[in-house]
Amino acid sequence: MGKAASHANQTTLYLTPLHGRPDVLKRLIANVGAALRHVRATAQQFKDLDRWGCLLRYISDRIAPIIGPPRPVAGLPAAG
């Protein structure tokens, strides 16, 4: 659940975890915030930076390992 608030040309996103594992979700949200701060700081130094590419690299390097590989979907029982 989330809410966005804008003030002084800046938007703040307030999120409330409703997931069964709020500890994991809070860490992921904190990491996304860190990723956005990283992109903003890097983009100020390098004006021609691919911001989406930078964000995706950050996520794949630092956030995806926390999540781990996806779990296989349980198969349906065979009919017969």
Side-chain angles (χ1 to χ4, degrees):
M1 188 164 201
K3 175 184 174 184
S6 296
H7 178 69
N9 203 19
Q10 196 170 30
T11 301
T12 303
L13 186 61
Y14 297 96
L15 298 172
T16 304
L18 299 176
H19 191 266
R21 302 260 327 260
D23 54 329
V24 174
L25 194 56
K26 285 179 184 179
R27 280 195 327 233
L28 291 174
I29 291 169
N31 283 332
V32 169
L36 293 172
R37 286 189 299 277
H38 170 75
V39 171
R40 182 176 52 212
T42 306
Q44 291 173 354
Q45 296 174 13
F46 305 104
K47 298 299 180 195
D48 59 343
L49 177 74
D50 173 19
R51 290 170 177 86
W52 282 111
C54 183
L55 179 62
L56 292 175
R57 275 190 305 279
Y58 186 98
I59 290 170
S60 67
D61 292 346
R62 296 197 176 116
I63 297 176
I66 293 172
I67 300 171
R71 294 186 180 132
V73 178
L76 297 174

